[in-house]
Amino acid sequence: MFRIFLRTANFLLSFFVVLCLLLSGAYAAYALWDNNQIYSAAENVREDMLKLKPQAEEGEQSPGFQELQAINPDVCAWVSLDNTQIDHPVLQGQDNLSYINTDVYGNFSLSGSIFLDSRNSRDFGDAYSLLYGHHMENSGMFGDLALYKEGDFFDENSSGELILPQGSYSLEIFACLLVDASDDNIFEPERWRSDASPLADYAAENSLHFRREVLDRAADTGLKILALSTCSTEFSDARTVVLACMFPSQFPSQEGA
């Protein structure tokens, strides 16, 4: 009787172990499939949007913006950084939760959208404007911001563009920072609505990499700063932040630029 009990117990234990292994394998396979679906969906949306990427045309709204805003009226800009995969429409919701997990079509998406802080002016008229985007592998969304933490890449890449319905700004990157998500200097844009020079001083003291000459040139046109922020893994609530000066390039008038 005791031997029968042992055989039964061993069988049940073996069955339980095999079942756990099968369930673990099934979960791992599902996780890989689900992760691939997330990245595929994000890439599909990006490819759709790139077909509608607007071009700044002096004096009139770009046809691309008309099509983008027909899809979603919350589209307010397009941002791109040279030599990266960052090339996306920018949206602004009623609050900063609107597009964390929502794509440009208004559909639920873990990759979310690139969005402008809801406290900023939609026309980027503030002295400091703040963009958010998820950090995704394979250069998805704002994943390539991590490249600027590498000294060589930062030294060799500084340019980008912010396109608006009525014009555009040339972007010149002057700083890369690693900060906490609670850093008020970065994540309270209302502090620098009219004057971003204190933020520039903060960046000079706290950056991983910094270009003073870009700020010196920006002083001649009126300092306007664009921040691009994404999650990072160095510590809990770490954020990678890239700061760029905004130089007006394609505007029929420099008023408000």
Side-chain angles (χ1 to χ4, degrees):
M1 181 67 71
F2 182 69
R3 290 181 178 177
I4 295 174
F5 172 78
L6 285 179
R7 284 198 299 268
T8 303
N10 287 334
F11 172 79
L12 291 174
L13 179 60
S14 298
F15 176 80
F16 179 75
V17 170
V18 170
L19 180 62
C20 288
L21 291 173
L22 289 173
L23 289 174
S24 297
Y27 178 78
Y30 170 78
L32 288 172
W33 175 85
D34 186 57
N35 190 62
N36 184 65
Q37 291 296 104
I38 292 170
Y39 282 94
S40 294
E43 183 59 27
N44 289 340
V45 170
R46 181 174 183 272
E47 290 178 359
D48 288 347
M49 292 300 100
L50 285 173
K51 296 174 184 176
L52 302 176
K53 181 178 178 179
Q55 301 296 321
E57 297 180 11
E58 187 171 344
E60 59 184 72
Q61 178 159 311
S62 166
F65 269 108
Q66 296 173 11
E67 296 181 45
L68 287 168
Q69 290 175 340
I71 293 171
N72 190 329
D74 286 343
V75 174
C76 59
W78 188 286
V79 65
S80 59
L81 297 182
D82 295 340
N83 298 319
T84 75
Q85 294 299 308
I86 295 173
D87 202 5
H88 302 284
V90 177
L91 296 92
Q92 186 182 47
Q94 293 184 346
D95 56 51
N96 286 338
L97 297 177
S98 298
Y99 287 102
I100 284 183
N101 291 321
T102 303
D103 66 21
V104 67
Y105 294 110
N107 298 323
F108 174 78
S109 170
L110 289 176
S111 60
S113 299
I114 305 304
F115 62 94
L116 174 67
D117 193 291
S118 61
R119 295 164 291 183
N120 275 129
S121 172
R122 178 183 170 90
D123 66 359
F124 289 82
D126 298 333
Y128 174 63
S129 300
L130 173 61
L131 302 183
Y132 303 90
H134 286 304
H135 180 280
M136 298 183 67
E137 300 300 326
N138 303 319
S139 301
M141 304 310 287
F142 268 180
D144 273 356
L145 287 184
L147 295 173
Y148 293 94
K149 291 185 287 188
E150 303 171 10
D152 289 345
F153 187 88
F154 182 89
D155 290 342
E156 296 171 6
N157 297 275
S158 62
S159 58
E161 187 174 33
L162 181 72
I163 306 173
L164 306 182
Q166 300 295 342
S168 66
Y169 289 95
S170 295
L171 302 178
E172 294 196 32
I173 295 167
F174 69 89
C176 178
L177 300 87
L178 186 64
V179 301
D180 190 273
S182 62
D183 190 328
D184 291 345
N185 290 293
I186 299 297
F187 299 109
E188 293 292 335
E190 293 169 309
R191 297 185 65 179
W192 322 118
R193 187 179 300 279
S194 58
D195 181 10
S197 55
L199 175 61
D201 295 336
Y202 172 80
E205 297 176 2
N206 295 278
S207 295
L208 299 173
H209 310 291
F210 187 76
R211 292 188 183 90
R212 170 61 66 182
E213 65 274 13
V214 175
L215 286 171
D216 291 341
R217 283 190 286 107
D220 296 332
T221 60
L223 179 63
K224 294 186 69 172
I225 294 175
L226 180 70
L228 302 90
S229 169
T230 195
C231 295
S232 198
T233 59
E234 285 80 357
F235 52 86
S236 179
D237 290 332
R239 298 292 185 270
T240 297
V241 178
V242 169
L243 300 179
C245 288
M246 301 166 57
F247 294 92
S249 56
Q250 288 291 332
F251 283 92
S253 170
Q254 299 303 316
E255 295 180 5

